[in-house]
Amino acid sequence: MRDVLKTEELDIPEGVEVSIKSRLITVKGPRGTLTKNVRHIDMDIRLQKGKTNKVSLAVWQGGRKHVACLRTIKSLIVNMITGVTKVRLSC
């Protein structure tokens, strides 16, 4: 069964800058810059700016596996944000 519209939202913390241009995601933070190309996945990715910055992901007319990509891309962006903000501890 296809879902007509499935959406996910992600809050961007302070000190992190996210830019999205034609499904090319760039995350800049205090520890550097990370870039990920997700053009192979057909979904709407929008940046909502205001008091709180958010990334909005949407899939229209998606099947089960296409909707599963939604959560995958959200997790990918969360991991990129973690990568540019957290301090890595070495052993």
Side-chain angles (χ1 to χ4, degrees):
M1 185 170 160
R2 291 183 168 259
D3 289 320
V4 175
L5 173 64
K6 203 71 163 172
T7 61
E8 288 277 341
E9 281 193 350
L10 168 67
D11 291 328
I12 301 170
E14 275 192 43
V16 176
E17 182 182 322
V18 177
S19 63
I20 299 165
K21 185 171 183 179
S22 65
R23 288 180 280 181
L24 182 67
I25 303 166
T26 305
V27 179
K28 293 180 185 177
R31 296 188 49 83
T33 302
L34 293 173
T35 303
K36 186 70 176 174
N37 184 350
V38 291
R39 291 184 181 156
H40 60 282
I41 298 174
D42 187 24
M43 73 172 53
D44 293 337
I45 305 174
R46 296 184 185 196
L47 189 60
Q48 300 172 351
K49 293 190 176 183
K51 289 184 179 177
T52 59
N53 292 337
K54 291 184 178 184
V55 175
S56 175
L57 308 163
V59 171
W60 292 87
Q61 301 293 331
R64 181 175 158 260
K65 292 196 176 197
H66 196 194
V67 170
C69 291
L70 200 62
R71 179 72 179 169
T72 301
I73 299 301
K74 180 181 175 183
S75 297
L76 225 154
I77 297 170
V78 168
N79 290 340
M80 290 170 70
I81 291 171
T82 301
V84 297
T85 57
K86 302 287 181 185
V87 176
R88 188 180 81 168
L89 300 175
S90 59
C91 297

Coordinates of all heavy atoms in Angstrom, one line a residue:
M1 N 0.8 -1.2 0.0 CA 0.0 0.0 0.0 C 0.9 1.2 0.0 O 1.9 1.3 0.7 CB -0.9 0.0 1.2 CG -1.9 1.1 1.2 SD -3.0 0.8 2.6 CE -3.6 2.5 2.8
R2 N 0.5 2.2 -0.8 CA 1.3 3.4 -0.9 C 0.8 4.5 0.1 O -0.5 4.6 0.3 CB 1.2 4.0 -2.3 CG 2.0 3.2 -3.3 CD 1.9 3.8 -4.6 NE 2.9 3.1 -5.5 CZ 4.1 3.6 -5.8 NH1 4.5 4.7 -5.3 NH2 4.9 3.0 -6.6
D3 N 1.7 5.2 0.7 CA 1.3 6.4 1.5 C 1.2 7.6 0.6 O 2.1 7.8 -0.2 CB 2.3 6.6 2.6 CG 2.3 5.5 3.7 OD1 1.2 5.1 4.1 OD2 3.3 5.1 4.2
V4 N 0.2 8.4 0.8 CA 0.1 9.6 0.0 C 1.2 10.6 0.4 O 1.9 11.1 -0.5 CB -1.3 10.3 0.2 CG1 -1.4 11.6 -0.6 CG2 -2.4 9.3 -0.3
L5 N 1.4 10.9 1.6 CA 2.4 11.8 2.1 C 3.0 11.3 3.4 O 2.2 11.1 4.3 CB 1.9 13.2 2.2 CG 2.8 14.2 2.8 CD1 4.1 14.4 1.9 CD2 2.1 15.5 3.1
K6 N 4.3 11.2 3.5 CA 4.9 10.8 4.7 C 6.0 11.8 5.0 O 6.8 12.1 4.1 CB 5.5 9.4 4.6 CG 5.8 8.7 5.9 CD 4.5 8.3 6.5 CE 4.8 7.2 7.5 NZ 3.6 6.9 8.3
T7 N 6.1 12.4 6.2 CA 7.1 13.4 6.5 C 7.8 13.2 7.8 O 7.4 12.4 8.6 CB 6.4 14.8 6.7 OG1 5.5 14.7 7.7 CG2 5.7 15.2 5.4
E8 N 9.0 13.7 7.8 CA 9.8 13.7 9.1 C 10.4 15.1 9.2 O 10.7 15.8 8.2 CB 11.0 12.7 8.9 CG 10.6 11.3 8.9 CD 10.4 10.7 10.4 OE1 11.0 11.3 11.3 OE2 9.8 9.7 10.5
E9 N 10.7 15.5 10.5 CA 11.3 16.8 10.7 C 12.5 16.6 11.7 O 12.5 15.7 12.5 CB 10.3 17.8 11.3 CG 9.4 18.4 10.3 CD 8.6 19.6 10.9 OE1 8.7 19.8 12.1 OE2 8.0 20.3 10.1
L10 N 13.5 17.5 11.5 CA 14.7 17.4 12.3 C 15.1 18.8 12.7 O 15.2 19.7 11.9 CB 15.8 16.7 11.5 CG 17.2 16.8 12.0 CD1 17.3 15.9 13.2 CD2 18.1 16.2 10.9
D11 N 15.3 19.0 14.0 CA 15.8 20.3 14.5 C 17.3 20.4 14.4 O 18.0 19.4 14.6 CB 15.4 20.5 16.0 CG 13.9 20.6 16.2 OD1 13.3 21.2 15.3 OD2 13.4 20.2 17.2
I12 N 17.7 21.6 14.0 CA 19.2 21.8 13.8 C 19.6 22.6 15.1 O 19.1 23.6 15.4 CB 19.4 22.6 12.6 CG1 18.9 21.9 11.4 CG2 20.9 22.9 12.4 CD1 18.9 22.7 10.1
P13 N 20.7 22.1 15.8 CA 21.1 22.8 17.0 C 21.9 24.1 16.6 O 22.3 24.3 15.5 CB 22.1 21.8 17.6 CG 22.5 20.9 16.6 CD 21.4 20.8 15.6
E14 N 22.1 24.9 17.6 CA 22.8 26.2 17.4 C 24.3 25.9 17.1 O 24.8 24.9 17.7 CB 22.7 27.1 18.6 CG 21.5 27.9 18.6 CD 21.5 29.0 19.7 OE1 22.6 29.6 19.8 OE2 20.5 29.2 20.3
G15 N 24.9 26.7 16.3 CA 26.3 26.5 16.0 C 26.5 25.6 14.8 O 27.6 25.3 14.4
V16 N 25.4 25.0 14.3 CA 25.5 24.1 13.1 C 24.7 24.8 11.9 O 23.6 25.3 12.1 CB 24.9 22.7 13.4 CG1 24.9 21.9 12.2 CG2 25.7 22.1 14.5
E17 N 25.4 24.8 10.8 CA 24.7 25.3 9.6 C 24.5 24.2 8.6 O 25.4 23.5 8.2 CB 25.7 26.4 9.0 CG 25.1 27.1 7.8 CD 26.1 28.1 7.2 OE1 26.8 28.8 8.0 OE2 26.2 28.2 6.0
V18 N 23.3 24.1 8.1 CA 22.9 23.0 7.2 C 22.5 23.7 5.9 O 21.7 24.7 5.9 CB 21.8 22.1 7.7 CG1 21.4 21.1 6.6 CG2 22.2 21.4 8.9
S19 N 23.0 23.3 4.8 CA 22.6 23.8 3.5 C 22.2 22.7 2.6 O 22.8 21.6 2.6 CB 23.6 24.7 2.8 OG 24.8 24.0 2.5
I20 N 21.1 22.9 1.8 CA 20.6 21.8 0.9 C 20.4 22.4 -0.5 O 19.7 23.4 -0.6 CB 19.3 21.3 1.5 CG1 19.5 20.6 2.8 CG2 18.7 20.2 0.5 CD1 18.3 20.3 3.6
K21 N 21.0 21.8 -1.5 CA 20.8 22.3 -2.8 C 20.7 21.1 -3.7 O 21.7 20.3 -3.9 CB 22.0 23.2 -3.3 CG 21.8 23.8 -4.6 CD 22.8 24.8 -5.0 CE 22.4 25.4 -6.3 NZ 23.4 26.4 -6.7
S22 N 19.5 20.9 -4.3 CA 19.2 19.7 -5.2 C 19.7 18.4 -4.6 O 20.4 17.6 -5.2 CB 19.8 19.9 -6.6 OG 21.2 20.0 -6.6
R23 N 19.3 18.1 -3.3 CA 19.6 16.9 -2.6 C 21.0 16.7 -2.3 O 21.5 15.5 -2.2 CB 18.9 15.7 -3.3 CG 17.4 15.7 -3.1 CD 16.8 14.6 -3.7 NE 16.7 14.9 -5.2 CZ 16.2 14.1 -6.1 NH1 15.7 12.9 -5.7 NH2 16.1 14.4 -7.3
L24 N 21.8 17.7 -2.3 CA 23.2 17.7 -1.9 C 23.2 18.4 -0.5 O 23.0 19.6 -0.4 CB 24.1 18.4 -2.9 CG 25.6 18.4 -2.5 CD1 26.1 16.9 -2.7 CD2 26.3 19.3 -3.5
I25 N 23.5 17.6 0.6 CA 23.4 18.1 1.9 C 24.8 18.4 2.4 O 25.7 17.6 2.4 CB 22.7 17.1 2.8 CG1 21.4 16.7 2.3 CG2 22.6 17.6 4.3 CD1 20.8 15.4 2.9
T26 N 25.0 19.7 2.9 CA 26.2 20.1 3.5 C 26.0 20.6 4.9 O 25.1 21.4 5.2 CB 26.8 21.3 2.7 OG1 27.0 20.8 1.3 CG2 28.2 21.6 3.2
V27 N 26.8 20.0 5.9 CA 26.6 20.4 7.3 C 28.0 21.0 7.8 O 29.0 20.4 7.6 CB 26.3 19.2 8.2 CG1 26.2 19.5 9.6 CG2 25.0 18.5 7.7
K28 N 27.9 22.2 8.3 CA 29.1 22.9 8.8 C 29.0 23.1 10.3 O 27.9 23.5 10.7 CB 29.3 24.3 8.1 CG 29.6 24.2 6.6 CD 29.7 25.5 6.0 CE 29.9 25.4 4.5 NZ 30.0 26.7 3.9
G29 N 30.0 22.9 11.0 CA 30.0 23.1 12.4 C 31.4 23.4 12.9 O 32.3 23.7 12.1
P30 N 31.6 23.5 14.2 CA 32.9 23.9 14.8 C 34.0 22.9 14.5 O 35.2 23.3 14.5 CB 32.6 24.0 16.3 CG 31.4 23.3 16.5 CD 30.6 23.2 15.3
R31 N 33.7 21.7 14.2 CA 34.8 20.7 13.9 C 35.0 20.4 12.4 O 35.7 19.5 12.1 CB 34.5 19.4 14.6 CG 34.5 19.6 16.1 CD 34.4 18.3 16.9 NE 35.3 17.3 16.5 CZ 36.6 17.2 16.8 NH1 37.1 18.1 17.6 NH2 37.3 16.2 16.4
G32 N 34.3 21.2 11.5 CA 34.6 21.0 10.1 C 33.3 20.9 9.3 O 32.2 21.4 9.7
T33 N 33.4 20.4 8.1 CA 32.3 20.3 7.1 C 32.1 18.9 6.6 O 33.1 18.3 6.3 CB 32.6 21.3 5.9 OG1 32.8 22.6 6.4 CG2 31.4 21.3 4.9
L34 N 30.9 18.5 6.5 CA 30.6 17.2 5.9 C 29.6 17.4 4.8 O 28.7 18.2 4.9 CB 30.0 16.2 7.0 CG 30.9 15.8 8.1 CD1 30.2 15.0 9.1 CD2 32.1 14.9 7.5
T35 N 29.7 16.6 3.7 CA 28.8 16.7 2.6 C 28.3 15.3 2.2 O 29.1 14.3 2.2 CB 29.6 17.3 1.4 OG1 30.1 18.6 1.8 CG2 28.6 17.5 0.2
K36 N 27.1 15.2 1.8 CA 26.5 13.9 1.4 C 25.6 14.2 0.2 O 24.7 15.0 0.2 CB 25.7 13.3 2.5 CG 25.2 11.9 2.2 CD 26.3 10.9 2.2 CE 25.8 9.5 2.0 NZ 26.9 8.6 1.8
N37 N 25.7 13.4 -0.8 CA 24.9 13.4 -2.0 C 23.8 12.4 -1.9 O 24.2 11.2 -1.9 CB 25.8 13.2 -3.2 CG 25.1 13.4 -4.5 OD1 23.8 13.5 -4.6 ND2 25.8 13.4 -5.6
V38 N 22.6 12.8 -1.9 CA 21.5 11.8 -1.8 C 20.5 12.0 -3.0 O 19.3 11.9 -2.9 CB 20.7 11.9 -0.5 CG1 21.5 11.4 0.7 CG2 20.2 13.3 -0.2
R39 N 21.1 12.3 -4.2 CA 20.3 12.5 -5.4 C 19.6 11.3 -5.9 O 18.7 11.3 -6.7 CB 21.1 13.2 -6.5 CG 21.5 14.6 -6.1 CD 22.3 15.2 -7.3 NE 22.7 16.6 -6.9 CZ 23.7 17.2 -7.4 NH1 24.4 16.7 -8.3 NH2 24.0 18.4 -6.9
H40 N 20.1 10.1 -5.5 CA 19.6 8.9 -5.9 C 18.2 8.5 -5.3 O 17.5 7.6 -5.7 CB 20.6 7.7 -5.7 CG 20.9 7.5 -4.3 ND1 21.8 8.4 -3.6 CD2 20.5 6.6 -3.4 CE1 22.0 8.0 -2.4 NE2 21.2 6.9 -2.2
I41 N 17.9 9.3 -4.2 CA 16.6 9.0 -3.5 C 15.6 10.1 -3.8 O 16.0 11.3 -3.7 CB 16.8 9.0 -2.0 CG1 17.8 7.8 -1.7 CG2 15.5 8.8 -1.2 CD1 18.2 7.7 -0.2
D42 N 14.5 9.8 -4.3 CA 13.5 10.7 -4.7 C 12.6 11.2 -3.5 O 11.7 10.5 -3.1 CB 12.6 10.1 -5.8 CG 11.7 11.1 -6.4 OD1 12.0 12.3 -6.4 OD2 10.6 10.7 -7.0
M43 N 13.0 12.4 -3.0 CA 12.2 12.9 -1.9 C 12.4 14.4 -1.8 O 13.4 14.9 -2.4 CB 12.6 12.3 -0.5 CG 13.9 12.7 0.0 SD 14.2 12.0 1.7 CE 13.9 10.3 1.6
D44 N 11.5 15.1 -1.1 CA 11.6 16.5 -0.9 C 12.4 16.8 0.3 O 12.0 16.3 1.4 CB 10.2 17.2 -0.8 CG 9.4 17.1 -2.1 OD1 10.0 17.0 -3.2 OD2 8.2 17.2 -2.0
I45 N 13.5 17.6 0.2 CA 14.3 18.0 1.4 C 14.3 19.5 1.4 O 14.7 20.1 0.5 CB 15.7 17.4 1.3 CG1 15.7 15.9 1.2 CG2 16.5 17.8 2.6 CD1 17.0 15.3 0.9
R46 N 13.7 20.0 2.5 CA 13.6 21.5 2.6 C 14.2 22.0 3.9 O 14.1 21.3 4.9 CB 12.2 22.0 2.5 CG 11.6 21.6 1.1 CD 10.2 22.1 1.0 NE 9.7 21.6 -0.3 CZ 8.7 22.1 -0.9 NH1 8.1 23.1 -0.4 NH2 8.3 21.7 -2.1
L47 N 14.8 23.2 3.9 CA 15.3 23.8 5.0 C 14.4 24.9 5.5 O 14.1 25.8 4.7 CB 16.7 24.4 4.7 CG 17.5 24.9 5.9 CD1 17.8 23.8 6.9 CD2 18.8 25.4 5.3
Q48 N 13.9 24.8 6.7 CA 12.9 25.8 7.2 C 13.7 26.7 8.2 O 14.1 26.2 9.2 CB 11.8 25.2 7.9 CG 11.0 24.3 7.0 CD 9.9 23.5 7.7 OE1 9.9 23.5 9.0 NE2 9.1 22.8 7.0
K49 N 13.8 28.0 7.9 CA 14.5 28.9 8.7 C 13.5 29.8 9.5 O 12.5 30.1 9.0 CB 15.5 29.8 7.9 CG 16.6 29.0 7.4 CD 17.7 29.9 6.8 CE 18.8 29.0 6.3 NZ 19.9 29.8 5.8
G50 N 13.9 30.1 10.7 CA 13.0 31.0 11.5 C 13.7 31.0 12.9 O 14.9 31.1 13.0
K51 N 12.8 31.0 14.0 CA 13.4 31.0 15.3 C 14.1 29.7 15.6 O 15.2 29.7 16.2 CB 12.2 31.2 16.3 CG 11.7 32.6 16.3 CD 10.6 32.7 17.4 CE 10.0 34.1 17.4 NZ 9.0 34.3 18.4
T52 N 13.6 28.6 15.1 CA 14.3 27.3 15.2 C 14.4 26.8 13.8 O 13.5 26.8 13.0 CB 13.4 26.3 16.0 OG1 12.2 26.1 15.4 CG2 13.3 26.8 17.4
N53 N 15.7 26.5 13.4 CA 15.9 25.9 12.1 C 15.6 24.5 12.1 O 15.9 23.7 13.0 CB 17.4 26.1 11.7 CG 17.8 27.6 11.5 OD1 16.9 28.4 11.2 ND2 19.0 27.9 11.7
K54 N 14.9 24.0 11.0 CA 14.5 22.6 10.9 C 14.8 22.2 9.4 O 14.8 22.9 8.5 CB 13.0 22.5 11.1 CG 12.6 22.7 12.6 CD 11.1 22.4 12.7 CE 10.7 22.6 14.2 NZ 9.4 22.3 14.4
V55 N 14.9 20.9 9.3 CA 15.0 20.2 8.0 C 13.8 19.4 7.9 O 13.4 18.6 8.8 CB 16.3 19.3 7.9 CG1 16.2 18.5 6.6 CG2 17.5 20.1 8.0
S56 N 13.1 19.6 6.8 CA 11.8 18.8 6.6 C 12.0 17.9 5.4 O 12.5 18.2 4.3 CB 10.7 19.8 6.2 OG 9.5 19.1 5.9
L57 N 11.7 16.6 5.6 CA 11.8 15.5 4.6 C 10.4 15.0 4.3 O 9.7 14.8 5.2 CB 12.7 14.4 5.2 CG 14.1 14.7 5.7 CD1 14.6 13.6 6.6 CD2 15.0 15.1 4.6
A58 N 10.1 14.9 3.0 CA 8.8 14.4 2.6 C 8.9 13.4 1.4 O 9.7 13.6 0.5 CB 7.9 15.6 2.3
V59 N 8.1 12.4 1.5 CA 8.0 11.4 0.4 C 6.5 11.4 -0.1 O 5.6 11.2 0.8 CB 8.4 10.0 0.8 CG1 8.1 9.0 -0.3 CG2 9.9 10.0 1.1
W60 N 6.3 11.6 -1.4 CA 4.9 11.6 -1.9 C 4.7 10.3 -2.7 O 5.6 9.8 -3.4 CB 4.8 12.7 -2.9 CG 4.7 14.1 -2.3 CD1 5.8 14.9 -2.0 CD2 3.6 14.8 -1.8 NE1 5.4 16.0 -1.4 CE2 4.1 16.0 -1.2 CE3 2.3 14.5 -1.7 CZ2 3.2 16.9 -0.7 CZ3 1.4 15.4 -1.2 CH2 1.9 16.6 -0.7
Q61 N 3.6 9.6 -2.4 CA 3.2 8.4 -3.1 C 4.3 7.3 -3.0 O 4.7 6.7 -4.0 CB 2.9 8.7 -4.6 CG 1.8 9.7 -4.9 CD 0.5 9.2 -4.5 OE1 0.2 8.0 -4.5 NE2 -0.4 10.1 -4.1
G62 N 4.8 7.1 -1.8 CA 5.9 6.2 -1.6 C 5.4 4.8 -1.1 O 4.5 4.7 -0.3
G63 N 6.1 3.8 -1.6 CA 5.9 2.5 -1.1 C 6.6 2.2 0.2 O 7.2 3.1 0.7
R64 N 6.6 1.0 0.7 CA 7.1 0.7 2.0 C 8.6 1.0 2.0 O 9.1 1.6 3.0 CB 6.9 -0.8 2.3 CG 7.4 -1.2 3.6 CD 7.0 -2.7 3.8 NE 7.9 -3.3 4.8 CZ 8.9 -4.1 4.5 NH1 9.2 -4.4 3.3 NH2 9.6 -4.6 5.5
K65 N 9.4 0.6 1.0 CA 10.8 0.7 1.0 C 11.2 2.2 0.8 O 12.2 2.7 1.2 CB 11.5 -0.2 0.0 CG 11.3 -1.6 0.4 CD 12.3 -2.5 -0.3 CE 12.1 -3.9 0.3 NZ 13.2 -4.8 -0.1
H66 N 10.4 2.9 0.0 CA 10.7 4.3 -0.3 C 10.4 5.1 1.0 O 11.2 6.0 1.2 CB 9.8 4.8 -1.4 CG 10.2 6.0 -2.0 ND1 9.4 6.8 -2.9 CD2 11.3 6.8 -2.0 CE1 10.0 7.9 -3.3 NE2 11.2 7.9 -2.7
V67 N 9.4 4.8 1.7 CA 9.2 5.5 3.0 C 10.3 5.2 4.0 O 10.6 6.0 4.8 CB 7.8 5.1 3.5 CG1 7.5 5.6 4.9 CG2 6.7 5.7 2.6
A68 N 10.8 4.0 3.9 CA 11.9 3.6 4.9 C 13.2 4.5 4.6 O 13.9 4.7 5.5 CB 12.3 2.1 4.7
C69 N 13.3 4.9 3.4 CA 14.5 5.8 3.1 C 14.4 7.1 3.8 O 15.4 7.8 4.1 CB 14.5 6.1 1.6 SG 15.0 4.7 0.6
L70 N 13.2 7.5 4.2 CA 12.9 8.8 4.9 C 13.7 8.8 6.2 O 14.4 9.7 6.5 CB 11.4 8.9 5.1 CG 10.9 10.3 5.4 CD1 11.1 11.2 4.3 CD2 9.4 10.1 5.7
R71 N 13.5 7.7 7.0 CA 14.2 7.6 8.3 C 15.7 7.5 8.1 O 16.4 8.0 8.9 CB 13.6 6.4 9.1 CG 14.2 6.2 10.4 CD 13.8 7.3 11.4 NE 14.4 6.9 12.7 CZ 14.4 7.7 13.7 NH1 13.8 8.9 13.6 NH2 15.0 7.4 14.8
T72 N 16.1 6.8 7.1 CA 17.5 6.6 6.8 C 18.2 8.0 6.6 O 19.3 8.2 7.1 CB 17.7 5.7 5.6 OG1 17.1 4.4 5.9 CG2 19.2 5.5 5.3
I73 N 17.6 8.8 5.7 CA 18.2 10.1 5.4 C 18.2 11.0 6.7 O 19.1 11.7 6.9 CB 17.5 10.8 4.3 CG1 17.6 9.9 3.0 CG2 18.0 12.2 4.0 CD1 19.0 9.7 2.6
K74 N 17.1 10.9 7.5 CA 17.1 11.7 8.7 C 18.2 11.2 9.7 O 18.9 12.1 10.2 CB 15.7 11.5 9.4 CG 15.6 12.2 10.7 CD 14.3 12.0 11.4 CE 14.2 12.7 12.7 NZ 13.0 12.4 13.5
S75 N 18.4 10.0 9.8 CA 19.5 9.5 10.6 C 20.9 9.9 10.1 O 21.8 10.2 10.9 CB 19.5 7.9 10.7 OG 18.3 7.5 11.4
L76 N 21.0 9.9 8.8 CA 22.2 10.3 8.1 C 22.6 11.8 8.5 O 23.7 12.1 8.8 CB 22.1 10.2 6.6 CG 23.2 9.6 5.8 CD1 22.6 9.0 4.6 CD2 24.2 10.6 5.5
I77 N 21.6 12.6 8.5 CA 21.8 14.1 8.8 C 22.1 14.2 10.3 O 23.0 15.0 10.6 CB 20.5 14.9 8.4 CG1 20.3 14.9 6.9 CG2 20.7 16.4 8.8 CD1 19.0 15.4 6.4
V78 N 21.4 13.5 11.1 CA 21.7 13.5 12.6 C 23.2 13.1 12.8 O 23.9 13.7 13.6 CB 20.8 12.6 13.4 CG1 21.2 12.4 14.8 CG2 19.4 13.2 13.4
N79 N 23.6 12.0 12.1 CA 25.0 11.6 12.3 C 26.0 12.6 11.8 O 27.1 12.8 12.3 CB 25.2 10.3 11.6 CG 24.5 9.1 12.3 OD1 24.2 9.2 13.5 ND2 24.3 8.0 11.6
M80 N 25.7 13.3 10.7 CA 26.5 14.4 10.2 C 26.6 15.5 11.2 O 27.7 16.1 11.4 CB 26.0 14.9 8.8 CG 26.2 13.9 7.7 SD 25.3 14.4 6.2 CE 26.3 15.7 5.6
I81 N 25.5 15.9 11.8 CA 25.5 16.9 12.8 C 26.4 16.5 14.0 O 27.1 17.3 14.5 CB 24.1 17.3 13.3 CG1 23.3 18.0 12.1 CG2 24.1 18.1 14.5 CD1 21.8 18.2 12.3
T82 N 26.3 15.3 14.4 CA 27.1 14.8 15.5 C 28.6 14.8 15.2 O 29.4 15.2 16.0 CB 26.7 13.3 15.9 OG1 25.3 13.3 16.2 CG2 27.5 12.8 17.0
G83 N 28.9 14.5 13.9 CA 30.3 14.5 13.5 C 30.9 15.9 13.5 O 32.1 16.0 13.7
V84 N 30.1 16.9 13.2 CA 30.8 18.3 13.2 C 30.7 19.0 14.5 O 31.2 20.1 14.7 CB 30.1 19.2 12.1 CG1 30.4 18.6 10.7 CG2 28.7 19.4 12.3
T85 N 30.0 18.3 15.6 CA 29.9 19.0 16.9 C 30.6 18.3 18.0 O 31.2 18.9 18.9 CB 28.4 19.2 17.2 OG1 27.8 17.9 17.3 CG2 27.7 20.1 16.3
K86 N 30.6 17.0 18.0 CA 31.1 16.2 19.2 C 32.6 16.1 19.1 O 33.2 16.0 18.0 CB 30.5 14.8 19.3 CG 29.0 14.8 19.4 CD 28.5 15.3 20.7 CE 27.0 15.2 20.8 NZ 26.4 15.7 21.9
V87 N 33.2 16.0 20.3 CA 34.7 15.7 20.4 C 34.9 14.2 20.4 O 34.3 13.5 21.2 CB 35.2 16.4 21.6 CG1 36.7 16.1 21.8 CG2 35.0 17.9 21.6
R88 N 35.8 13.8 19.6 CA 36.1 12.3 19.6 C 37.2 12.0 20.6 O 38.2 12.7 20.7 CB 36.6 11.9 18.2 CG 36.8 10.5 18.0 CD 37.3 10.2 16.7 NE 38.8 10.4 16.7 CZ 39.6 10.0 15.8 NH1 39.1 9.4 14.7 NH2 40.9 10.2 15.8
L89 N 36.9 11.0 21.4 CA 37.8 10.6 22.4 C 38.7 9.5 21.9 O 38.2 8.5 21.4 CB 37.1 10.1 23.7 CG 36.2 11.2 24.4 CD1 35.4 10.5 25.5 CD2 37.0 12.3 24.9
S90 N 40.0 9.6 22.0 CA 40.9 8.6 21.5 C 41.4 7.7 22.7 O 41.4 8.2 23.8 CB 42.1 9.2 20.8 OG 42.8 10.0 21.7
C91 N 41.7 6.5 22.4 CA 42.1 5.6 23.5 C 43.5 5.7 23.9 O 44.4 6.0 23.2 CB 41.9 4.1 23.0 SG 40.1 3.8 22.8

